[in-house]
Amino acid sequence: MMIRISIALLLALAPVTAFANSCPSQMAAIDAALPSASLSEADMAKVKELRKQGEDLHQAGDHAGSEAALGEAKKMLGI
């Protein structure tokens, strides 16, 4: 019985772990693209705000929200 509960718990948490692991790699991609990005000041500020929002949401455990914010920043950067 305990093994079944453990397996069910592992399967339930697997998607959360996948989201949690992709947030840092998305943040790194944004950080790498920022220095060479040719955006207006307003767009650059928006990308930086989305990057910060993504990190804050990641740290709060909202990985779906983090993915959305980071995805928008990546879209603006063209990556």
Side-chain angles (χ1 to χ4, degrees):
M1 181 69 167
M2 197 63 159
I3 292 174
R4 286 184 180 171
I5 292 171
S6 296
I7 291 172
L9 185 59
L10 177 67
L11 291 175
L13 293 177
V16 172
T17 304
F19 276 127
N21 290 336
S22 91
C23 297
S25 64
Q26 289 195 41
M27 287 184 270
I30 292 166
D31 292 344
L34 279 173
S36 62
S38 51
L39 299 173
S40 68
E41 286 185 37
D43 283 348
M44 184 64 83
K46 179 70 175 171
V47 166
K48 288 179 180 180
E49 177 56 34
L50 286 166
R51 164 52 174 93
K52 181 174 179 350
Q53 181 182 8
E55 183 173 7
D56 292 345
L57 289 168
H58 170 74
Q59 290 176 352
D62 181 359
H63 301 291
S66 175
E67 291 274 327
L70 295 171
E72 183 64 27
K74 286 175 63 178
K75 183 178 174 183
M76 291 181 72
L77 287 167
I79 57 173

